[in-house]
Every structure is written in C-alpha cells, then in structure tokens.
Amino acid sequence: METNEIMEKEVQRAVLVGFNNTSKIENIEIESSMDELEELAKTAGAEVLARIIQNKASIDAKYYIGKGKVEEIKQFSLDNDANVVIFNDELSGSQIRNLEEAIGIDVIDRTALILDIFAQRAQSKEGKLQVELAQLKYRLPRLTGLGNQLSRLGSGIGTRGPGEKKLETDRRHILRRIDDIKEQLDDVKKNRETQRSQRIKSELPIVALVGYTNAGKSTLMNSLLNMSVSNDEKKYVYAEDKLFATLDVSLRKISLEDKFEFLLTDTVGFVSKLPHGLVNAFKATLEEVKYADLLLHIIDASNSDYKLQKETTKTVLKELGINDKKIVDVYNKIDKMEDIISLNLDEKSLCVSAKNGTNLDKLLELVRTELGVETIKTNLTIPYDKGNVLSQLHKDAIVISTEYAEQGIVCEVQIDKDIHYKYKEFEKK
Ligand SMILES: Nc1nc2c(ncn2[C@@H]2O[C@H](COP(=O)(O)OP(=O)(O)OP(=O)(O)O)[C@@H](O)[C@H]2O)c(=O)[nH]1
Ligand SMILES: [Mg+2]
C-alpha cells in the first residue's frame, strides 16, 4: 500500500527527446534506442507522453539540441501538461540548466534515469553503496546545473538515492560521502575475496549468466535450480518482467543426478549506453564474471531488437575487460516464437525456454562439454568374481544405479570419455 502511494505521488508526465546525429553512421538505430529509453522511463514510474527527435549533424553546446527544438518541446509541454523532459544522451550540468530555464520544467538525462532505477532496485548493502557512489559522482560536476532538481526535495526521477533517501546536494558533503562509501566498499571487497578464495578451494567450475536486462537470466537460474538434486533448500532468485530486476549477483550450486556440479551466478542485466560511472561501480560485483569458467549469454530471441541487445551485451563485457572467456549464446523465450529459422544460428548456439524448460537438458549437456567434462552414460556388467573392478569403477565413474543380475552386477554409469576404454570389455555387446 505504502509504496503504491509513493509511486502515485511520483508519476511524472514525460517527454522523451532523442538526438539523431546525421553526420555519423550510427550502429544504434535511433528508434530502437528510443524504445529502450521509453521502457526505462516507464520502469522509473513515468508516463510517456511523446517522443521528439532532433535530426542534426552536430551537437549544440548550449542546449544539446537546436533552439527550434527547444521551443517545440516547450510548447508541447505546456499544451500537454508535461512535467519532465528526458534526454536520450548524457548532458552536461550547464546544458541541463539552460534547458530547464528555457523549457520551464525538469530536465533529466539518460544516465540520471538509469541511476534512478538502480537506486530504487538496489537491495544489498553493497549494491546500495555502489549505486549511491555512481549517483554522487554523476552529480558532482553538475552541481551548478541541477537547479530545479536540487530544489525538488528528493521526489521525482534523478533526485532519489537508494532506499528513497534524498541525495546529498552540498559539494563538501558529497566529497566526504564519496570517501566514506569507498572505504565501506573496500571492506565489502575484502570480505568477498575471502569468500572467493574459499570457493576456489571447493574447485567447482563457475558458470555465469550474462545478458541484456529482461532476457530471462534469473528465470533460467530458477529453472536450473529446479533441476538440481541438492537437498538444501532451493534459494530462488527474483525474476520479474521489469528492467533491472536483478542488481545483486547471486551464486547457487547446481548438482545434477549424475553428480556433475557447478556454481551458477546470476548477474545484473545490461542496457545500451549504460552509464560509465555505473559500469565502474558494478565492476566489483561483476568480478564474479571474471572468475567464471564459462559465460552463458542469454538473449531474448522473441524481442525484435535482439540483435542490438546482443551487441550491447558484448560491448559492455568488453568495457568490463571480459573478452577472453568462453561464451555460449543461448537464445531464450522460444516458446513465444513461431519459428527460429530467422535467427540464423550457428551450431554452437542453443534455443531454450527458461520458462517452460525446453532444451534445458541440452543446455546442461553443453555446459558439461564446454567445461571440458566430457562424459558418457553407459551400462556395464561386472561379473561377481571381479569385486576389484567394481571398487575401481566407483573411484573412476559415477555409478548411477546397480542391479544384481544373473551374469553379474549391472551398473549404469557416467564416465569420463578418457577412461571409458578401461571398461570396454564389460559393456554389453
Ligand atoms: N515466455 C517466456 N518468458 C520468459 C522466459 N524466460 C523469462 N521470461 C520472462 O521474462 C521476464 C524477465 O525475466 P528475468 O528472468 O527476470 O530476466 P533477467 O534477465 O533476469 O532480467 P534482469 O534481472 O532485469 O536483468 C519475466 O517476466 C519472465 O517470466 C521464457 O523462456 N519464455
Ligand atoms: Mg534478473
């Protein structure tokens, strides 16, 4: 109830503004980019009234867009009772101030919007600290520009810190707070390193789920947890039809019936033009990905912009310095698609439905192969007088089941390809 009331008060009527640089051959289509901005704006709780796009060969230093467009936005805002303008690019402090003065309502850029969503989503102490740090670093050089935003007393997009806290507005306080947060993050990091070294000792391979926001990473994690045979209580992760549903990295052990085990980590989703400060802030969290043995790149194949989203993820991974990892493309949500021919997949890629469980067995097989654990399942019949073979078999392979038959003990085993030859003679002809 209470959160709904807060949300209601904060519904902002937004005009989205995009800049289409006609001098560049853009690889990101402006319409796709605006679609994404609209999703982000809605996620932050705004109502989108219109999109206005400026086609221009160069950026205006004062307003970012041309004066004529500024007038158009002003008129539209007056006629339609808009109260916020959201730009698709990052603006400087003085551009924000000039625009706010000219248009007469709040102006926010894409970075502030994304940071705002992250601030609302952060759950863990570390996540909250990272987001606040990114927000303060964004604010610092813009303090003189954020005229309207500062006077809004912490309501509305761009002014909210993690947990509905109002962001600092005083330069000296901001600087002090930044130092304070960095110190706290250092402590968290030390803690994480201890945990990691314990994990490395456990020698289980690590598989990381990466991909665009809303692709279905967390849903896949939950489905794989469901296939896991561990007796521990299954700790499901939060999955929702929302951008940035996941902000905290979580790690779960997946144990399969044949004793194949690995650690699976779910990560924060990506989006194009992810603010740099934020990427930096999340580097520590995403370090988990750096230690992974295999990345599963989850792609929402049912999304018409899946190609752009796929490229975005690859770009962000590069920015994070992660480009030397084994990576497998996993096309998700195929239950929503009529055919998958249009996807034009290479042989290493796989189509799945995290929701319905389609092809998840194949996915696990692929994980096994990519991790270099090539095993085969076979039936062996060990004569009763070869007790030593049976005890050796228990060391070499995973014995799934045993049955006492006339000719001997029939064992269903999962065995590494490399040592399979040792037991050839016990296989049924
Ligand atoms: N139809 C269908 N929907 C799916 C499938 N997988 C996930 N979804 C839906 O897609 C939405 C997003 O799923 P999440 O698992 O939260 O996505 P995510 O990649 O973890 O997203 P972020 O945490 O925001 O990065 C949810 O509404 C899921 O129910 C699928 O295979 N088929
Ligand atoms: Mg998620």
Side-chain angles (χ1 to χ4, degrees):
M1 270 312 281
E2 220 176 297
T3 40
N4 276 344
E5 274 166 27
I6 293 171
M7 294 279 279
E8 246 160 47
K9 258 190 256 161
E10 286 178 358
V11 167
Q12 285 174 293
R13 294 168 57 79
V15 181
L16 307 185
V17 180
F19 184 87
N20 188 26
N21 192 334
T22 49
S23 71
K24 265 197 222 160
I25 307 164
E26 283 277 77
N27 51 359
I28 293 178
E29 291 283 329
I30 184 76
E31 283 304 331
S32 300
S33 188
M34 293 302 282
D35 284 346
E36 199 178 65
L37 186 71
E38 181 159 347
E39 279 305 310
L40 291 167
K42 286 183 189 156
T43 303
E47 182 191 342
V48 175
L49 303 176
R51 296 173 176 193
I52 296 178
I53 292 176
Q54 163 99 83
N55 293 299
K56 212 166 174 277
S58 64
I59 287 162
D60 181 272
K62 188 170 178 194
Y63 295 114
Y64 197 79
I65 49 172
K67 186 79 176 86
K69 274 289 168 207
V70 177
E71 282 306 317
E72 189 185 325
I73 296 166
K74 181 179 183 175
Q75 200 49 53
F76 180 90
S77 306
L78 278 173
D79 295 347
N80 295 279
D81 202 19
N83 53 15
V84 63
V85 181
I86 306 178
F87 273 69
N88 193 30
D89 299 291
E90 196 168 299
L91 303 174
S92 72
S94 65
Q95 283 163 344
I96 292 178
R97 186 182 53 228
N98 295 337
L99 285 162
E100 285 187 339
E101 268 169 20
I103 304 172
I105 56 176
D106 299 338
V107 172
I108 287 161
D109 65 11
R110 186 186 178 96
T111 305
L113 176 63
I114 295 178
L115 289 173
D116 188 86
I117 298 171
F118 272 69
Q120 306 313 302
R121 292 271 196 274
Q123 291 291 325
S124 70
K125 183 179 169 213
E126 184 180 17
K128 285 182 181 166
L129 288 171
Q130 284 170 333
V131 175
E132 193 183 344
L133 182 63
Q135 282 183 308
L136 294 176
K137 283 189 168 171
Y138 167 82
R139 284 207 143 198
L140 205 51
R142 291 179 178 77
L143 275 183
T144 46
L146 300 172
N148 281 0
Q149 292 189 22
L150 294 192
S151 60
R152 266 190 282 140
L153 291 171
S155 71
I157 302 166
T159 59
R160 301 173 287 202
E164 296 291 326
K165 187 166 80 177
K166 188 176 178 293
L167 280 176
E168 277 296 345
T169 54
D170 178 277
R171 175 176 298 273
R172 266 182 317 153
H173 286 162
I174 291 183
L175 287 169
R176 208 176 304 143
R177 181 74 188 138
I178 286 180
D179 283 342
D180 181 36
I181 294 177
K182 279 185 176 161
E183 239 170 68
Q184 292 190 49
L185 280 173
D186 273 347
D187 286 346
V188 181
K189 200 174 164 196
K190 272 181 212 136
N191 207 344
R192 181 191 294 285
E193 271 159 14
T194 323
Q195 284 174 3
R196 185 175 298 125
S197 57
Q198 280 165 0
R199 208 177 301 138
I200 288 170
K201 262 191 230 142
S202 84
E203 283 181 10
L204 284 181
I206 300 177
V207 177
L209 299 170
V210 295
Y212 203 81
T213 179
N214 216 42
K217 300 176 292 299
S218 303
T219 306
L220 181 63
M221 178 144 190
N222 289 337
S223 297
L224 293 178
L225 267 173
N226 263 338
M227 293 167 83
S228 178
V229 291
S230 119
N231 292 326
D232 307 345
E233 188 202 344
K234 287 179 183 159
K235 282 195 255 158
Y236 294 110
V237 294
Y238 178 63
E240 187 66 64
D241 194 8
K242 267 184 194 169
L243 301 186
F244 306 119
T246 306
L247 272 200
D248 297 312
V249 171
S250 42
L251 194 81
R252 302 282 187 274
K253 185 155 119 184
I254 306 287
S255 321
L256 300 180
E257 227 164 47
D258 60 13
K259 296 191 187 160
F260 172 50
E261 288 185 330
F262 61 92
L263 295 170
L264 186 66
T265 135
D266 185 18
T267 61
V268 52
F270 302 151
V271 71
S272 64
K273 303 193 204 179
L274 203 59
H276 263 279
L278 203 58
V279 172
N280 280 333
F282 276 84
K283 259 189 183 151
T285 321
L286 287 164
E287 257 171 33
E288 296 296 333
V289 180
K290 276 197 180 163
Y291 289 90
D293 301 284
L294 173 68
L295 306 188
L296 297 179
H297 176 188
I298 314 304
I299 300 152
D300 176 355
S302 70
N303 192 301
S304 56
D305 279 331
Y306 82 91
K307 275 190 186 148
L308 174 68
Q309 301 186 344
K310 197 175 138 185
E311 287 318 307
T312 299
T313 302
K314 299 213 158 146
T315 310
V316 178
L317 284 175
K318 239 181 250 159
E319 275 172 21
L320 289 166
I322 302 166
N323 38 16
D324 56 341
K325 291 273 168 206
K326 258 197 206 166
I327 179 159
V328 173
D329 290 341
V330 179
Y331 291 82
N332 188 30
K333 307 198 188 180
I334 53 161
D335 55 291
K336 281 170 88 178
M337 299 179 69
E338 274 171 19
D339 73 272
I340 52 163
I341 303 158
S342 58
L343 294 173
N344 221 345
L345 301 181
D346 60 37
E347 58 185 54
K348 224 175 128 192
S349 310
L350 192 68
C351 289
V352 302
S353 166
K355 203 172 177 178
N356 298 350
T358 316
N359 281 347
L360 296 190
D361 47 347
K362 282 195 187 144
L363 178 64
L364 287 171
E365 254 339 287
L366 195 82
V367 168
R368 200 195 295 268
T369 318
E370 289 296 321
L371 290 174
V373 197
E374 282 204 72
T375 60
I376 51 166
K377 219 185 231 182
T378 183
N379 279 319
L380 304 174
T381 306
I382 317 286
Y384 289 110
D385 60 352
K386 301 259 165 112
N388 55 335
V389 175
L390 192 66
S391 62
Q392 188 60 38
L393 183 65
H394 275 280
K395 285 182 198 143
D396 284 348
I398 293 154
V399 180
I400 300 164
S401 67
T402 50
E403 203 183 298
Y404 293 82
E406 209 178 304
Q407 312 89 323
I409 303 171
V410 182
C411 309
E412 191 189 359
V413 297
Q414 185 91 38
I415 189 162
D416 274 14
K417 270 191 172 157
D418 298 349
I419 42 175
H420 176 215
Y421 73 94
K422 285 199 335 199
Y423 297 92
K424 267 273 183 230
E425 63 178 290
F426 302 110
E427 242 169 1
K428 269 206 187 109
K429 301 283 168 344

